């Protein structure tokens, strides 16, 4: 193969305030899984940089759970569809698909023999169903609730029991199979929504957690209440998730009070309280106890590996993107490559070349407050970024800290930023061009007579190229602190979407909405060198290889093409590079390594052989 997918840096879970997030655990103890948009993300728990992404759901997925056998995963989406798919093969073949009810599926539980599945959620006429995994035949009815069911669990030892918890402040107890409603737990137990219910692995007990901050323990076989964990209140905020230890002696609880507590069940005492921060985004909405690992998920989407020896600082925190990625660039520093990516929540992620250890981070301090449109690294080792918050930022890559002073506010929204030598940057804004030098605005050009869409600065300095919505490229000379129109325009087939000079300045590549990439030869007075066809939809982004002989293009068609400048017919096609969304960013780590991003919030690294 001329290309190979080498690494996937997966998205974080997609979070919603006040809504619990389920982390599924692999029964073998190797992996954990969660959902983001239409994706189910499977990550290795010891080395979370090893990831796999399942993308076959047509709608947003809310929950995914392993079968106790470990051979299958069941995942449920907002439309009420549940898909059961294979975990042993790389292409994750679909085994069965069902629609037990119409509406959000919020939780899934399997029986220990991997034969029956219970699903609950937000149906129109019913809020849950239990059925055989291989036929869809009903094995009971889930009744007894008047509102959305948030959580379900099944006792993993015989005789089977099933418990549900709901927005009607109640939990319901079922015996089976076929599962039949037996009774509702006392209405006086929880005063607010019951967010989570979980049986202990040995089946002797189950626990319920509520928005009232309380956790109750019940007998697993009879459903009789045993005790309120921690007395009157287990947490100062709502409790969103519970997970038992493998030996059933302890459990952890995740709360909106920004803590996770480790409980000794027999002693009815919290033996450890993990403090995860003070910000709203530090609320804890999910947790998992997997072998010796204790995981929790913050509202930010960050995944915390809790440290029982130091409850105030996690062993590690997995950071990254949980929202759509819009831009990408790479930079080498002291022989090591770094990947920078910006998303629509204003977050910029730093991923080092050693990402197979899962090491990544963000900049400290207050950065962009809205979508990051474009990023580039200038000659002073600064990340230059522009965003929909109408700012252009210059951030030191060595300090990794946003600076309140190295910030330029602009009057109109910037679409694109380009960097050049000698401290120059060009911001392409709505109806306006801004030339910056040494982190300050030095010249503004209004009344352009066209709508600028993209820009590029020649690496040798002196020339700025600006692509317009009118299908033309306008050339300007940089003279001191001014931009001067050269009176020369280049024609391309459609409105310009992206453009880039080759690293040696010999060529200018221009992508447009008419699915064409046009390459101009700079030394020959910007004469047309070649036109490149292949995309089925609008081309979004371009990136030149360090060898200056090849470049990559990504489009709305989810395709990535790798082109050879001197031969338009010689190309490598990567279909469905990101299966769910268009390609939003491209960058080369070296002549044979390409990095791609998309609105699926993941980053992929490809090995290319020409």
């Amino acid at each position: 193969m001329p290309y190979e997918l080498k690494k996937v840096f997966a998205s974080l879970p997609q979070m919603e305030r006040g809504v619990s997030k389920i982390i599924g655990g692999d029964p073998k103890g190797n992996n954990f899984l969660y959902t983001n948009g239409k994706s189910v993300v499977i990550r290795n728990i010891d080395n979370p940089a090893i990831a796999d992404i399942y993308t076959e759901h047509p709608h947003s997925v809310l929950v995914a759970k392993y079968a106790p056998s470990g051979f299958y995963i069941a995942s449920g989406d907002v439309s009420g569809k549940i898909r059961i798919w294979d975990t042993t093969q790389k292409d994750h073949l679909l085994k069965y698909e069902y629609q037990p009810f119409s509406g959000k599926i919020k939780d899934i539980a399997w029986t220990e023999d991997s034969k029956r599945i219970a699903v609950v959620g937000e149906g129109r006429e019913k809020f849950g169903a239990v059925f055989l995994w291989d036929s869809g035949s009903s094995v009971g009815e889930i009744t007894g609730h008047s509102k959305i069911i948030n959580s379900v669990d099944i006792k993993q030892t015989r005789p089977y029991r099933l418990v549900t918890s709901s927005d009607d402040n109640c939990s319901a107890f079922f015996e089976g199979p076929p599962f039949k409603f037996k009774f509702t737990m006392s209405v006086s137990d929880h005063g607010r929504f019951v967010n989570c219910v979980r049986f202990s692995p040995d089946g002797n007990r189950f626990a319920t957690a509520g928005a009232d901050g309380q956790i109750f323990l019940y007998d697993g076989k009879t459903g009789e209440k045993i005790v309120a964990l921690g007395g009157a209140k287990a947490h100062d905020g709502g409790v969103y998730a519970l997970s038992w230890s493998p030996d059933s002696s302890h459990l952890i609880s995740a709360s909106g009070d920004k803590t996770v507590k480790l409980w000794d069940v027999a002693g009815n005492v919290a033996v450890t309280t993990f403090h995860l921060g003070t910000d709203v985004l530090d609320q804890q909405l999910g947790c998992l106890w997997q072998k010796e690992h204790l995981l929790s998920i913050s509202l930010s989407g960050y995944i915390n590996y809790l440290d029982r020896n130091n409850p105030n600082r996690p062993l590690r925190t997995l950071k990254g993107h949980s929202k759509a990625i819009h831009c990408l660039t790479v930079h080498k520093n002291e022989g090591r490559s770094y990947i920078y990516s910006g998303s629509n929540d204003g977050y910029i992620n730093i991923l080092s070349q050693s990402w197979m250890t899962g090491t990544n981070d963000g900049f400290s301090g207050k950065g962009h407050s809205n979508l990051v449109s474009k990023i580039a690294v200038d000659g002073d080792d600064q990340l230059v970024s522009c965003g929909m918050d109408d700012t252009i930022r210059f951030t030191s890559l060595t300090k990794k800290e946003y600076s309140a002073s190295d910030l330029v506010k602009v009057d109109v929204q910037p679409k694109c930023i380009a960097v050049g030598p000698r401290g120059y940057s060009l911001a392409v804004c709505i109806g306006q061009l801004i030339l910056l030098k040494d982190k300050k605005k030095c010249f503004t050009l209004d009344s352009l007579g066209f709508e600028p869409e993209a820009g590029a600065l020649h690496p040798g300095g002196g020339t700025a190229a600006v692509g317009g919505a009118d299908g033309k490229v306008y050339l300007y000379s940089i003279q001191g602190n001014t931009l001067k129109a050269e009176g020369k325009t280049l024609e391309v087939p459609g409105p310009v979407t992206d453009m880039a000079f080759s690293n040696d300045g010999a060529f200018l590549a221009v992508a447009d909405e008419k699915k064409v990439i046009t390459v101009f030869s700079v030394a020959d007075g910007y004469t047309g060198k070649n036109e490149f066809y292949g995309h089925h939809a609008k081309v979004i982004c371009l990136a030149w290889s360090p060898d200056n002989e090849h470049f990559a293009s990504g489009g709305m068609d989810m395709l990535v093409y790798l082109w050879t400048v001197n031969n338009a017919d010689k190309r490598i096609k990567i279909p469905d590079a990101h299966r769910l969304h268009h390609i939003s960013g491209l960058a080369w780590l070296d002549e044979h390594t390409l990095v791609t991003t998309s609105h699926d919030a993941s980053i992929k690294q490809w090995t290319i052989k020409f």
Side-chain angles (χ1 to χ4, degrees):
M1 286 286 281
Y3 67 88
E4 183 186 355
L5 178 61
K6 290 297 284 185
K7 299 173 187 173
V8 176
F9 190 79
S11 64
L12 294 176
Q14 201 163 47
M15 307 300 288
E16 187 180 339
R17 189 171 178 180
V19 178
S20 61
K21 190 71 183 181
I22 292 167
I23 322 177
D26 169 10
K28 296 183 176 73
N30 300 324
N31 302 318
F32 65 100
L33 52 85
Y34 54 82
T35 62
N36 181 308
K38 297 176 185 176
S39 304
V40 178
V41 178
I42 306 168
R43 296 181 86 158
N44 183 288
I45 200 158
D46 293 314
N47 185 358
I50 300 171
D52 191 7
I53 306 175
Y54 179 78
T55 56
E56 297 298 319
H57 274 273
H59 303 281
S60 288
V61 198
L62 296 181
V63 58
K65 289 273 189 78
Y66 273 95
S69 67
F71 296 137
Y72 297 99
I73 289 171
S75 50
D77 65 29
V78 295
S79 75
K81 275 206 170 62
I82 182 163
R83 293 174 71 89
I84 301 164
W85 40 280
D86 178 86
T87 61
T88 60
Q89 306 296 318
K90 199 169 184 182
D91 46 5
H92 300 306
L93 294 172
L94 177 68
K95 196 74 177 168
Y96 302 103
E97 183 180 77
Y98 303 112
Q99 179 128 18
F101 51 83
S102 184
K104 287 181 187 174
I105 291 179
K106 299 196 73 174
D107 201 2
I108 295 169
W110 293 77
T111 51
E112 47 80 31
D113 57 6
S114 301
K115 289 181 178 175
R116 301 168 193 85
I117 296 177
V119 298
V120 298
E122 201 176 311
R124 292 194 180 94
E125 291 164 10
K126 62 177 185 174
F127 305 117
V130 201
F131 52 88
L132 291 171
W133 85 291
D134 56 354
S135 67
S137 303
S138 175
V139 283
E141 276 191 77
I142 293 183
T143 56
H145 289 293
S146 58
K147 290 184 178 175
I148 296 162
I149 301 179
N150 295 314
S151 184
V152 63
D153 205 16
I154 296 173
K155 184 166 167 274
Q156 293 296 292
T157 55
R158 293 176 185 268
Y160 289 146
R161 298 290 185 263
L162 183 150
V163 182
T164 54
S165 63
S166 166
D167 273 6
D168 62 10
N169 303 357
C170 295
S171 297
F173 190 76
F174 299 78
E175 291 180 355
F179 290 98
K180 290 179 183 169
F181 172 77
K182 290 299 286 183
F183 58 84
T184 300
M185 316 298 164
S186 173
V187 182
S188 62
D189 287 357
H190 284 288
R192 296 184 62 196
F193 300 164
V194 190
N195 292 320
C196 184
V197 56
R198 293 291 178 256
F199 274 98
S200 58
D202 63 12
N204 291 337
R205 302 181 187 89
F206 65 89
T208 61
D212 55 2
Q214 290 191 293
I215 301 168
F216 290 100
L217 289 180
Y218 301 85
D219 184 277
K221 192 173 177 183
T222 65
E224 288 178 23
K225 185 162 80 172
I226 300 171
V227 72
L229 208 56
K233 229 175 186 190
H235 282 274
D236 293 332
V239 186
Y240 291 98
L242 301 167
S243 188
W244 288 84
S245 64
D247 66 1
S248 302
S249 65
H250 293 73
L251 65 78
I252 52 172
S253 55
S255 170
D257 65 7
K258 309 173 189 75
T259 69
V260 173
K261 289 189 178 182
L262 170 59
W263 298 90
D264 176 344
V265 174
N268 191 17
V269 62
V271 291
T272 309
T273 299
F274 302 94
H275 297 276
L276 277 308
T278 56
D279 193 81
V280 169
L281 292 175
D282 296 319
Q283 293 180 1
Q284 300 303 300
L285 300 180
C287 61
L288 176 70
W289 194 317
Q290 179 93 316
K291 285 188 175 174
E292 72 278 7
H293 296 289
L294 306 183
L295 304 188
S296 76
I297 302 184
S298 306
L299 175 56
S300 61
Y302 292 176
I303 300 168
N304 309 293
Y305 283 64
L306 306 176
D307 185 356
R308 280 185 254 190
N309 298 318
N310 183 3
N312 296 319
R313 186 183 177 89
L315 286 165
R316 70 192 300 186
T317 299
L318 302 184
K319 299 180 181 180
H321 293 290
S322 60
K323 302 281 177 27
I325 302 175
H326 283 269
C327 51
L328 173 74
T329 193
V330 298
H331 180 59
K332 268 199 174 137
N333 188 14
E334 295 178 354
R336 177 178 275 187
S337 294
Y338 293 87
I339 300 164
Y340 300 91
S341 50
S343 55
N344 71 4
D345 55 358
Y347 181 75
I348 295 176
N349 186 62
I350 310 165
L351 190 57
S352 75
Q353 197 174 22
S354 59
W355 68 344
M356 283 315 280
T357 61
T359 53
N360 70 301
D361 208 348
F363 294 102
S364 60
K366 191 171 170 56
H368 288 284
S369 60
N370 209 322
L371 183 150
V372 185
S373 310
K374 204 83 172 179
I375 53 178
V377 177
D378 67 11
D380 297 322
D381 284 350
Q382 296 176 119
L383 188 76
V384 187
S385 58
C386 66
M388 282 180 70
D389 55 2
D390 298 348
T391 63
I392 298 160
R393 288 182 170 273
F394 297 83
T395 309
S396 165
L397 298 183
T398 49
K399 291 181 182 173
K400 296 181 182 175
E401 184 179 355
Y402 289 112
S403 165
S405 57
D406 294 337
L407 166 79
V408 176
K409 291 189 175 176
V410 292
D411 299 325
V412 287
Q413 197 177 99
K415 300 176 179 179
C416 172
I417 193 82
V419 297
R422 300 191 297 278
Y424 284 110
S425 304
L426 175 72
V428 176
C429 306
I430 296 173
Q432 191 179 74
L433 300 177
I434 299 172
L435 185 67
L436 303 105
K437 183 161 175 35
D438 299 329
K439 301 187 278 192
K440 290 190 170 48
K441 220 189 279 189
C442 64
F443 188 71
T444 302
L445 204 56
D446 295 297
S447 308
L448 299 171
F450 69 97
E451 181 54 47
E453 295 291 344
L457 293 180
H458 192 277
T463 302
V466 179
D470 56 359
K472 292 179 180 175
V473 177
Y474 296 81
L475 298 176
Y476 297 84
S477 58
I478 300 171
Q479 300 179 2
N481 286 344
T482 61
L483 278 176
K484 189 173 181 189
E486 291 188 352
K488 184 177 178 64
T489 58
L490 315 174
E491 300 273 348
V492 294
V496 175
T497 54
D498 196 19
M499 57 199 307
F501 282 101
S502 57
N503 305 289
D504 60 3
F507 302 110
L508 173 66
V510 183
D512 65 53
E513 288 188 15
K514 298 286 187 183
K515 306 173 277 197
V516 184
I517 301 127
T518 310
V519 173
F520 298 92
S521 174
V522 174
D524 298 330
Y526 291 92
T527 55
K529 172 83 174 168
N530 251 327
E531 288 187 341
F532 299 81
Y533 300 87
H535 282 282
H536 308 317
K538 180 166 79 172
V539 185
I540 299 290
C541 47
L542 295 169
W544 282 92
S545 164
D547 66 11
N548 299 305
E549 294 174 12
H550 302 92
F551 66 93
S553 63
M556 291 290 287
D557 49 11
M558 283 88 97
L559 288 175
V560 170
Y561 274 105
L562 305 151
W563 307 95
T564 303
V565 176
N566 293 316
N567 186 352
D569 296 324
K570 190 179 177 185
R571 64 192 185 186
I572 297 170
K573 176 183 176 182
I574 305 178
D576 286 338
H578 291 258
R579 202 180 159 275
L580 295 172
H581 297 279
H582 68 262
I583 313 303
S584 60
L586 297 165
W588 294 81
L589 283 173
D590 57 50
E591 294 175 9
H592 296 288
T593 310
L594 180 72
V595 182
T596 63
T597 58
S598 173
H599 286 192
D600 63 4
S602 68
I603 301 167
K604 295 185 178 183
Q605 183 176 316
W606 308 80
T607 299
I608 311 296
K609 292 177 185 170
F610 293 108

